[in-house]
Amino acid sequence: MTATNYSFAKPHFLGIAGLNRPEVESLLELADRYIELNRRTVKISDKLRGLTQINLFFEPSTRTQSSFEIAGKRLGMDVINMMVQTSSVSKGETLIDTAVTLNAMHPDVLVVRHSASGAAELLSQKVDCAVINAGDGQHEHPTQALLDALAIRRALGRMDGLRIAICGDIAHSRVARSNVALMNLLGAEVRLCGPPTLLPSDADRWGAEVFHNMDEAVTGCDVVMMLRLQNERMDSAAIPSAREYFRFYGLDRARLAKAGKQALVMHPGPMNRGVEIDSELADDPQVSLITGQVEMGVAARMAVLDMLVSDRADSDRAGDAP
Ligand code: CP
């Protein structure tokens, strides 16, 4: 596989903001090809052999961290997962000192998740390698948006002209911000829905129509994407109770019936079953793309890694040993 015919010339992958449509389409096309590789029994390429990837996750993760690890390994990279809890961060070492220290070991890619918005961009200014944003605070989660677009395109054949509702805790969601930007770029009509306490004050400027009534928001939609209530990012309870929340803002079959006939359900995970989404609906493969989203995550991240650093692998291939 080669990325030479694709259009992507950025040193880092920090957000969907700043990308153009050809760049996103190039990533999606390359990711499509990696899906095929990932479905083989032997899933290995030596495309990035000899390069080093460090995963630096300051916040918990199941999907993003493991799929970045698998993606790097399937491309032949040496992948190191920094255990932040047992690293010198626990002794007070700063984010920047940690990154500069790792940079001195000459990694080629640093994959960063951090609770502070802008953390990945800050690190990109301090290191020589490519930096990938694996989620920064409430700002962006660009590889999640990419994998979501991949899942939608494979299920429905396109993004152009689709009507998509993103519902739930928008205020704390980097997934929502990245998805709105990417869906707009690819020509979808996006709706945001949640209680006023869980919608950011500037939501009407994101490029989406804002709803507070869930039944109205999902009407006529091709895709309904539910978001997790991020209790860990809330100072105080933004909802009266989980039961009340589900009644007004949860997705079940009755509510989904108001969307388009073939409407699909998505959730980036992890899910609060019975809070934002009905458990049985989430597990129904006829309507739910949720497991498929996880599969797409590996391919989307392989495409990002390939686009960012395959030039390094090509240029250094001759120098096997000093
Ligand atoms: N969707 C997502 O970012 O999941 P994780 O927190 O498990 O990585």
Side-chain angles (χ1 to χ4, degrees), residues 151 265 267 271 273 282-283 285 288-297:
V265 176
H267 194 304
M271 286 183 275
R273 290 173 180 267
D283 294 337
S288 172
L289 287 183
I290 295 169
T291 308
Q293 287 173 262
V294 178
E295 182 192 4
M296 299 301 120

Side-chain angles (χ1 to χ4, degrees), residues 60-65 113 141 144 268-270:
S61 168
T62 297
R63 282 148 281 266
T64 313
Q65 180 164 347
R113 171 172 285 191
H141 192 350
Q144 179 70 44

Side-chain angles (χ1 to χ4, degrees), residues 22-289:
E23 287 169 336
V24 169
E25 298 209 324
S26 292
L27 285 164
L28 291 172
E29 280 166 34
L30 186 56
D32 256 326
R33 298 173 64 182
Y34 279 123
I35 294 168
E36 306 316 317
L37 175 76
N38 290 335
R39 289 180 178 176
R40 290 187 207 154
T41 308
V42 178
K43 311 164 186 64
I44 188 81
S45 151
D46 70 349
K47 187 79 192 287
L48 303 183
R49 180 168 54 88
L51 302 190
T52 303
Q53 170 187 332
I54 301 180
N55 293 336
L56 186 55
F57 279 60
F58 291 86
E59 285 189 324
S61 168
T62 297
R63 282 148 281 266
T64 313
Q65 180 164 347
S66 56
S67 62
F68 263 116
E69 180 175 359
I70 290 169
K73 286 180 173 169
R74 286 192 183 160
L75 289 167
M77 300 178 88
D78 295 314
V79 183
I80 287 96
N81 287 306
M82 273 280 305
M83 294 297 145
V84 169
Q85 293 79 358
T86 53
S87 73
S88 289
V89 171
S90 65
K91 301 177 208 160
E93 190 160 45
T94 66
L95 169 67
I96 291 175
D97 283 344
T98 303
V100 169
T101 299
L102 296 173
N103 186 56
M105 300 177 204
H106 301 293
D108 299 284
V109 185
L110 208 49
V111 180
V112 185
R113 171 172 285 191
H114 198 278
S115 59
S117 300
E121 181 166 13
L122 179 67
L123 286 199
S124 73
Q125 295 160 10
K126 308 285 177 191
V127 298
D128 306 314
C129 62
V131 174
I132 299 177
N133 181 3
D136 63 328
Q138 297 164 24
H139 177 226
E140 282 236 33
H141 192 350
T143 57
Q144 179 70 44
L146 195 66
L147 76 87
D148 289 337
L150 191 62
I152 292 170
R153 286 209 335 180
R154 285 183 71 93
L156 298 175
R158 68 198 163 95
M159 182 74 90
D160 251 322
L162 294 183
R163 185 178 289 160
I164 302 172
I166 303 177
C167 308
D169 182 356
I170 312 290
H172 301 101
S173 178
R174 51 200 178 203
V175 173
R177 194 177 287 270
S178 289
N179 259 309
V180 172
L182 193 145
M183 289 166 180
N184 274 329
L185 205 58
L186 296 182
E189 175 196 325
V190 191
R191 296 174 171 184
L192 293 173
C193 179
T197 47
L198 293 177
L199 276 162
S201 53
D202 66 345
D204 56 340
R205 278 175 272 142
W206 284 23
E209 196 179 350
V210 176
F211 292 75
H212 297 301
N213 182 300
M214 182 81 175
D215 291 333
E216 289 172 13
V218 303
T219 297
C221 283
D222 302 287
V223 176
V224 181
M225 179 183 289
M226 299 307 298
L227 298 175
R228 180 175 70 91
L229 272 183
Q230 300 195 33
N231 291 311
E232 75 276 20
R233 295 191 207 276
M234 295 181 198
D235 294 334
S236 57
I239 57 163
S241 71
R243 181 188 287 221
E244 189 90 338
Y245 182 78
F246 185 76
R247 193 166 140 232
F248 289 103
Y249 292 100
L251 187 67
D252 57 11
R253 279 195 199 276
R255 193 155 269 152
L256 185 66
K258 298 182 191 310
K261 251 195 169 122
Q262 312 288 325
L264 297 172
V265 176
M266 300 179 78
H267 194 304
M271 286 183 275
N272 294 310
R273 290 173 180 267
V275 178
E276 68 258 359
I277 189 163
D278 173 68
S279 195
E280 185 257 336
L281 183 65
D283 294 337
D284 179 355
Q286 298 302 315
V287 293
S288 172
L289 287 183

